Amino acid sequence: MSAYDQDLPRTPANHAPLSPLSFIERTAEVYPRRLAIVHGDLRQTWAQTYARCRRLASALQRRGIGRNDTVAVMLPNTPAMVEAHFGIPMAGAVLNTLNTRLDAPTLAFMLDHGEAKAVLVDAEYAALMAEAIKLRQSATPLLVVDVEDPLYGGPVQHIGSIGYESLLTEGDPAFAWSLPGDEWDAIALNYTSGTTGNPKGVVYHHRGAALNAVSNVLEWDMPKHAVYLWTLPMFHCNGWCFPWTVAARAGVNVCLRKVDAAAVFDAMREHGVTHYCGAPIVQAMLVNAPSQLKAGVPRGIKAMVAGAAPPASMIEGMEQMGFDLTHVYGLTEVYGPTTVCATHDEWARVDIGERARLNARQGVRYHLQRDVRVLDPLTLQPVPADGETMGEIMVRGNITMKGYLKNPKATADAFRGGWFHTGDLAVQYPDGYVKIKDRSKDIIISGGENISSIEVEDVLHRHPAVMAVAVVAKPDARWGETPCAFVELKAGATVTAEELIAHCKQHLAGFKVPRAIVFGELPKTSTGKIQKFELRKQAGSVSAIDV
């Protein structure tokens, strides 16, 4: 045995499991009177928030809920949702945030698959959850807790046996919770979108949640007492771990039930918002909002965007508003963001087109992620860093899920060769930056040629009339598949299919030009992602255009 190991034991004095729960404990001790949550007329300090989280943990334990029990929540971005991110794991339980846009059968599957022992339900979703609960196959008793919010103005239906505030009164504000015995313990369960078959349950551990929360701080140079606006749903990858990040920085959670341009800009002015996250559709909504809504909005707000690469129009629009845009990339399986397009000073000196090209890349690994590479999916060897050779983005490190709940085959397949396989096809540039070319399932194979739907979408995004676009494969008797573009226009804008085809011909090889254009609002998930699987269903019946 090495001298470095002999008589040097691991004890509570020199080792503690990593957990984001320690963040709220410290912040409540150091900054007890600092504002933690803003919601309507509510102003709640960190000391008050910590006490409420401990009450929640204590109340759950008193009702028999403990280590590795699942507690589901069906909540919008309200104070109860913030508290759930601490109170539930403080009880030793696993937080399962449910997507508020899902249907009852899907929610019933999640409650059964995750073996939920309790569920917290906002009044807005009571009828939906009542239906989901009836559809459960499990006979296990389920504690249903009604969560009322004074900012909800709709009809209130009580489906639970107790209200949230009443539940908290059962708990001890000085509850002596403890860190997990092992930082590998589960902290959260998040379900994938499940576009084919049942969704998969992605299990997060305390270590990964803590590290990604800190990585968020590092990537954004996030200061103490940042004011964070909740435009990103907390049910999506636990809000990219930002509930824990805001606690680490003793920041302010500005809650927002609904995301619309007026509400966002009003909150920014009223509360001095410094940071927010959102899908491209949210950023585009703000950029294209009427100028009167933007009046008096503070400059220097930091915005984080994930999903489709930000087009030049978005970058330019953000710059005009004085916002600082950061582009990140990730998946549910990696706690949200896992790469960031880290900017360089010299980028500010190039034209908007080149700046958009640089910022459109998914970038480099997050600070505390071990590695992100573009590898050949068969050999697992790195592809040449030439910006042209395509491979698959693969990830390894601490900010990667434990695996898929009750699905060892899918877990083994996702982790084969010691890497998490994202399914995203990409290239790597000489500077190490990664750029997605497509999802493996979204590549269009036309006459034997591979067409990147993202490349076609990027060109269409450059047209000034286009708000959002999605390109999918359309079956074709001659070519096998051809590109079909679904286009959502900006308010008041007009353009013909022929004009968009002509625009594409200026920037794309002929075989890549869409053979069909469909105008209308695009179907989107609750996180703003375009539902391409829905568009694929429609593409087969769309008439082709002679190009």
Side-chain angles (χ1 to χ4, degrees), residues 19-36:
S19 171
L21 301 183
S22 63
F23 301 157
I24 190 172
E25 179 185 45
R26 179 184 185 275
T27 289
E29 290 176 357
V30 179
Y31 303 106
R33 292 177 297 278
R34 273 278 180 179
L35 193 59

Side-chain angles (χ1 to χ4, degrees), residues 1-265:
M1 181 182 290
S2 166
Y4 288 107
D5 297 314
Q6 190 173 8
D7 300 323
L8 300 176
R10 180 185 297 186
T11 76
N14 63 8
H15 175 81
L18 288 177
S19 171
L21 301 183
S22 63
F23 301 157
I24 190 172
E25 179 185 45
R26 179 184 185 275
T27 289
E29 290 176 357
V30 179
Y31 303 106
R33 292 177 297 278
R34 273 278 180 179
L35 193 59
I37 299 176
V38 170
H39 188 53
D41 294 331
L42 176 71
R43 301 292 183 273
Q44 190 168 293
T45 67
W46 277 108
Q48 292 168 329
T49 301
Y50 184 42
R52 287 173 62 84
C53 294
R54 294 167 86 179
R55 282 186 181 274
L56 176 57
S58 172
L60 290 173
Q61 280 205 355
R62 287 177 178 180
R63 284 179 171 258
I65 293 171
R67 185 172 184 268
N68 288 335
D69 288 334
T70 303
V71 177
V73 300
M74 185 72 166
L75 302 171
N77 287 345
T78 54
M81 185 61 133
V82 177
E83 293 165 1
H85 276 78
F86 297 93
I88 291 170
M90 279 177 181
V94 179
L95 170 63
N96 174 208
T97 56
L98 300 172
N99 185 327
T100 59
R101 297 283 184 88
L102 296 176
D103 59 22
T106 304
L107 292 167
F109 166 82
M110 292 175 177
L111 292 174
D112 280 339
H113 186 263
E115 300 180 29
K117 296 285 184 66
V119 60
L120 278 57
V121 185
D122 182 87
E124 184 174 352
Y125 311 110
L128 173 62
M129 282 305 297
E131 183 182 355
I133 290 167
K134 286 180 183 177
L135 294 172
R136 285 197 313 147
Q137 300 296 309
S138 172
T140 304
L142 182 67
L143 172 65
V144 181
V145 181
D146 294 313
V147 182
E148 294 187 15
D149 175 14
L151 268 62
Y152 171 60
V156 175
Q157 175 184 350
H158 295 287
I159 66 169
S161 58
I162 191 171
Y164 181 68
E165 294 301 325
S166 296
L167 179 68
L168 293 191
T169 63
E170 296 181 0
D172 180 1
F175 174 64
W177 64 277
S178 60
L179 290 172
D182 187 338
E183 60 191 17
W184 183 247
D185 282 0
I187 189 172
L189 170 65
N190 291 282
Y191 281 92
T192 60
S193 56
T195 56
T196 56
N198 287 324
K200 295 193 288 287
V202 175
V203 181
Y204 291 176
H205 46 75
H206 282 256
R207 179 179 178 85
L211 291 174
N212 208 45
V214 173
S215 275
N216 286 333
V217 175
L218 296 172
E219 302 305 344
W220 243 351
D221 297 322
M222 203 171 185
K224 292 176 187 172
H225 317 311
V227 181
Y228 183 88
L229 178 62
W230 277 107
T231 49
L232 176 75
M234 273 183 256
F235 67 66
H236 181 52
C237 307
N238 296 103
W240 300 353
C241 295
F242 272 96
W244 301 311
T245 295
V246 175
R249 292 277 75 193
V252 182
N253 293 277
V254 179
C255 294
L256 200 62
R257 280 193 72 95
K258 300 283 187 185
V259 176
D260 64 66
V264 169
F265 287 126

Side-chain angles (χ1 to χ4, degrees), residues 269-293:
R269 281 186 292 265
E270 182 179 355
H271 305 299
V273 168
T274 59
H275 297 75
Y276 76 97
C277 300
I281 196 70
V282 173
Q283 314 292 359
M285 175 191 70
L286 299 180
V287 167
N288 294 293
S291 57
Q292 61 267 27
L293 293 183

Side-chain angles (χ1 to χ4, degrees), residues 347 350-359:
W347 292 8
V350 300
D351 63 57
I352 185 66
E354 178 62 8
R355 225 165 34 254
R357 185 190 71 80
L358 293 167
N359 276 298

Side-chain angles (χ1 to χ4, degrees), residues 481-501:
E481 296 177 336
T482 57
C484 176
F486 290 82
V487 177
E488 187 174 327
L489 298 179
K490 295 177 182 176
T494 58
V495 67
T496 66
E498 289 73 20
E499 288 169 338
L500 287 180
I501 293 294

